[in-house]
Amino acid sequence: MLLRIDHVGIACHDLEEKIKLFSELFELEVVTREVNEEQGVKEAMLRVAGDSYIQLLEPLSPDSPVGKFLAKRGEGVHHVAFGVGDVKLTMDEIAAKGVRLLDSAPRHGTMGSSIAFLHPKDVGGMLTELVQSAKRK
Ligand code: V0V
Ligand code: CO
Protein backbone atom coordinates (compact mmCIF):
# COMPACT_ATOMS: atom_id res chain seq x y z
CA MET A 1 0.00 0.00 0.00
CA LEU A 2 2.76 2.47 0.93
CA LEU A 3 5.65 2.96 -1.49
CA ARG A 4 7.97 5.20 0.52
CA ILE A 5 8.13 8.01 3.03
CA ASP A 6 7.55 10.95 0.69
CA HIS A 7 8.13 13.68 3.26
CA VAL A 8 8.15 14.71 6.88
CA GLY A 9 6.35 18.01 7.42
CA ILE A 10 7.84 20.44 9.95
CA ALA A 11 5.80 23.35 11.29
CA CYS A 12 7.74 26.58 11.73
CA HIS A 13 7.22 30.29 12.35
CA ASP A 14 9.83 31.53 9.87
CA LEU A 15 10.20 29.54 6.66
CA GLU A 16 13.36 31.28 5.40
CA GLU A 17 15.10 30.81 8.74
CA LYS A 18 14.31 27.07 8.79
CA ILE A 19 15.29 26.62 5.12
CA LYS A 20 18.69 28.03 6.05
CA LEU A 21 18.96 25.76 9.09
CA PHE A 22 18.01 22.50 7.33
CA SER A 23 19.81 23.15 4.05
CA GLU A 24 23.06 24.05 5.80
CA LEU A 25 22.87 21.43 8.56
CA PHE A 26 22.07 18.46 6.31
CA GLU A 27 23.39 19.90 3.01
CA LEU A 28 19.98 19.61 1.33
CA GLU A 29 18.85 21.15 -1.95
CA VAL A 30 15.67 23.28 -1.95
CA VAL A 31 13.60 21.74 -4.77
CA THR A 32 10.55 24.00 -4.62
CA ARG A 33 8.89 26.83 -2.71
CA GLU A 34 5.10 27.15 -3.01
CA VAL A 35 2.12 28.89 -1.46
CA ASN A 36 -0.92 26.62 -1.01
CA GLU A 37 -3.90 28.84 -0.14
CA GLU A 38 -6.28 25.91 0.31
CA GLN A 39 -4.00 24.33 2.94
CA GLY A 40 -3.07 27.69 4.46
CA VAL A 41 0.68 27.25 4.07
CA LYS A 42 3.81 28.69 2.56
CA GLU A 43 6.12 25.70 2.12
CA ALA A 44 9.46 24.47 0.83
CA MET A 45 10.58 20.97 -0.15
CA LEU A 46 14.19 19.97 0.58
CA ARG A 47 15.34 16.77 -1.09
CA VAL A 48 16.85 14.16 1.22
CA ALA A 49 17.33 11.43 -1.41
CA GLY A 50 15.38 10.26 -4.47
CA ASP A 51 11.72 11.07 -3.88
CA SER A 52 11.94 11.77 -0.17
CA TYR A 53 11.91 15.23 1.28
CA ILE A 54 11.66 17.43 4.32
CA GLN A 55 8.71 19.81 3.94
CA LEU A 56 9.00 23.07 5.87
CA LEU A 57 5.65 24.71 6.58
CA GLU A 58 4.89 28.28 7.65
CA PRO A 59 1.19 29.12 8.25
CA LEU A 60 -0.55 31.80 6.19
CA SER A 61 -2.80 32.58 9.16
CA PRO A 62 -3.21 31.62 12.85
CA ASP A 63 -6.50 29.78 12.20
CA SER A 64 -5.01 27.46 9.53
CA PRO A 65 -4.06 23.85 10.43
CA VAL A 66 -0.36 24.71 10.85
CA GLY A 67 -1.15 27.99 12.63
CA LYS A 68 -3.28 26.18 15.20
CA PHE A 69 -0.65 23.46 15.61
CA LEU A 70 2.07 26.06 16.31
CA ALA A 71 -0.09 27.79 18.91
CA LYS A 72 -0.88 24.52 20.66
CA ARG A 73 2.37 22.56 20.33
CA GLY A 74 5.06 24.88 19.01
CA GLU A 75 7.53 24.16 16.21
CA GLY A 76 8.31 20.58 15.25
CA VAL A 77 7.11 17.52 13.33
CA HIS A 78 3.59 18.18 12.02
CA HIS A 79 2.88 15.23 9.69
CA VAL A 80 4.35 12.23 7.89
CA ALA A 81 3.49 11.73 4.21
CA PHE A 82 3.58 8.35 2.48
CA GLY A 83 3.86 7.91 -1.27
CA VAL A 84 1.09 5.80 -2.80
CA GLY A 85 0.35 4.68 -6.36
CA ASP A 86 -3.31 5.77 -6.49
CA VAL A 87 -4.42 8.15 -3.75
CA LYS A 88 -8.17 7.67 -4.30
CA LEU A 89 -7.87 3.89 -4.15
CA THR A 90 -5.75 4.05 -0.99
CA MET A 91 -8.22 6.48 0.63
CA ASP A 92 -11.03 3.97 0.00
CA GLU A 93 -8.97 1.05 1.33
CA ILE A 94 -8.08 2.95 4.49
CA ALA A 95 -11.59 4.30 5.06
CA ALA A 96 -12.87 0.71 4.83
CA LYS A 97 -10.64 -0.04 7.84
CA GLY A 98 -12.52 2.55 9.90
CA VAL A 99 -9.96 5.36 9.82
CA ARG A 100 -11.39 8.89 9.46
CA LEU A 101 -10.33 10.72 6.32
CA LEU A 102 -9.93 14.50 6.67
CA ASP A 103 -10.56 14.93 2.93
CA SER A 104 -13.49 13.46 1.03
CA ALA A 105 -11.59 13.79 -2.27
CA PRO A 106 -7.89 14.26 -3.11
CA ARG A 107 -6.60 17.82 -2.90
CA HIS A 108 -3.86 19.73 -4.65
CA GLY A 109 -0.44 19.19 -3.03
CA THR A 110 3.09 20.36 -3.62
CA MET A 111 4.80 19.83 -7.00
CA GLY A 112 1.51 18.92 -8.68
CA SER A 113 0.79 16.00 -6.37
CA SER A 114 -2.63 14.76 -5.18
CA ILE A 115 -2.92 14.47 -1.42
CA ALA A 116 -5.28 13.38 1.37
CA PHE A 117 -4.97 13.45 5.16
CA LEU A 118 -5.94 10.84 7.77
CA HIS A 119 -7.08 11.81 11.26
CA PRO A 120 -4.14 11.71 13.71
CA LYS A 121 -6.32 10.20 16.45
CA ASP A 122 -6.86 7.09 14.28
CA VAL A 123 -3.17 6.70 13.40
CA GLY A 124 -1.46 6.58 16.77
CA GLY A 125 -1.34 10.37 17.14
CA MET A 126 0.43 10.88 13.80
CA LEU A 127 -1.17 13.22 11.26
CA THR A 128 -0.76 11.15 8.10
CA GLU A 129 -0.76 12.35 4.49
CA LEU A 130 -1.10 10.16 1.40
CA VAL A 131 0.72 11.51 -1.68
CA GLN A 132 0.33 10.53 -5.31
CA SER A 133 3.14 12.22 -7.21
CA ALA A 134 2.44 14.13 -10.40
CA LYS A 135 3.00 11.91 -13.43
CA ARG A 136 6.41 12.49 -14.92
CA LYS A 137 6.82 12.62 -18.67
C1 V0V B 1 -3.91 18.28 15.73
N1 V0V B 1 -3.70 17.17 16.45
C2 V0V B 1 -2.59 16.56 15.99
C3 V0V B 1 -2.11 17.38 14.95
N2 V0V B 1 -2.96 18.45 14.82
N3 V0V B 1 -1.98 15.43 16.35
C4 V0V B 1 -0.85 15.10 15.69
N4 V0V B 1 -0.33 15.85 14.70
C5 V0V B 1 -0.93 16.99 14.30
N5 V0V B 1 -0.42 17.71 13.33
C6 V0V B 1 -4.53 16.66 17.54
C7 V0V B 1 -4.87 17.76 18.52
O1 V0V B 1 -3.84 17.88 19.49
C8 V0V B 1 -6.16 17.27 19.12
O2 V0V B 1 -5.90 16.32 20.10
C9 V0V B 1 -6.83 16.58 17.94
O3 V0V B 1 -5.78 16.23 17.03
C10 V0V B 1 -7.83 17.45 17.21
O4 V0V B 1 -7.18 18.64 16.95
P1 V0V B 1 -7.86 20.06 17.09
O5 V0V B 1 -6.87 21.03 17.61
O6 V0V B 1 -9.14 19.94 17.82
O7 V0V B 1 -8.29 20.34 15.61
P2 V0V B 1 -7.67 21.22 14.53
O8 V0V B 1 -8.73 22.19 14.16
O9 V0V B 1 -6.33 21.76 14.91
O10 V0V B 1 -7.49 20.19 13.34
C11 V0V B 1 -6.54 19.17 13.36
C12 V0V B 1 -6.56 18.49 11.97
C13 V0V B 1 -6.26 19.59 10.93
C14 V0V B 1 -5.51 17.38 11.98
C15 V0V B 1 -7.95 17.89 11.75
O11 V0V B 1 -5.00 20.18 11.21
C16 V0V B 1 -6.27 19.10 9.51
O12 V0V B 1 -7.32 18.93 8.89
N6 V0V B 1 -5.09 18.87 8.90
C17 V0V B 1 -4.96 18.43 7.53
C18 V0V B 1 -4.51 19.53 6.62
C19 V0V B 1 -3.14 20.06 6.95
O13 V0V B 1 -2.59 19.80 8.02
N7 V0V B 1 -2.56 20.90 6.04
C20 V0V B 1 -1.26 21.53 6.22
C21 V0V B 1 -0.18 20.78 5.53
P3 V0V B 1 -6.47 16.48 21.59
O14 V0V B 1 -5.94 17.78 22.08
O15 V0V B 1 -7.96 16.47 21.40
O16 V0V B 1 -5.95 15.29 22.31
S1 V0V B 1 -0.28 21.03 3.78
C22 V0V B 1 0.75 19.90 3.02
O17 V0V B 1 1.34 19.01 3.75
C23 V0V B 1 0.89 19.98 1.63
C24 V0V B 1 0.28 21.07 0.84
C25 V0V B 1 1.67 18.97 0.89
O18 V0V B 1 2.32 18.11 1.47
O19 V0V B 1 1.67 19.03 -0.38
CO1 CO C 1 2.76 17.56 3.41
Side-chain angles (χ1 to χ4, degrees):
M1 184 183 273
L2 306 180
L3 305 178
R4 64 182 184 281
I5 293 178
D6 186 279
H7 63 267
V8 174
I10 314 281
C12 64
H13 291 291
D14 184 334
L15 184 64
E16 292 308 319
E17 179 192 290
K18 290 302 182 291
I19 287 175
K20 188 167 158 42
L21 173 72
F22 278 83
S23 62
E24 288 180 3
L25 181 61
F26 298 123
E27 301 177 357
L28 302 178
E29 175 201 355
V30 180
V31 178
T32 183
R33 282 177 164 85
E34 292 183 28
V35 171
N36 187 321
E37 299 278 354
E38 184 182 37
Q39 297 291 339
V41 293
K42 190 161 97 173
E43 52 99 0
M45 296 291 270
L46 282 65
R47 191 190 308 278
V48 176
D51 276 333
S52 70
Y53 306 86
I54 287 177
Q55 180 176 52
L56 301 173
L57 303 154
E58 182 189 309
L60 294 178
S61 72
D63 61 352
S64 63
V66 175
K68 285 160 109 180
F69 178 90
L70 282 173
K72 210 166 175 180
R73 302 197 184 191
E75 294 188 313
V77 175
H78 177 259
H79 64 271
V80 174
F82 295 108
V84 299
D86 181 327
V87 69
K88 186 73 191 86
L89 189 69
T90 309
M91 287 167 76
D92 292 346
E93 287 172 354
I94 287 176
K97 297 185 186 192
V99 167
R100 282 169 287 171
L101 305 179
L102 296 171
D103 302 290
S104 52
R107 294 182 188 279
H108 166 67
T110 188
M111 298 190 284
S113 60
S114 295
I115 63 174
F117 286 89
L118 314 180
H119 200 291
K121 292 289 170 191
D122 294 347
V123 193
M126 178 178 80
L127 176 59
T128 305
E129 178 185 341
L130 306 174
V131 184
Q132 180 183 335
S133 298
K135 295 215 168 41
R136 298 217 177 82
K137 296 227 173 81

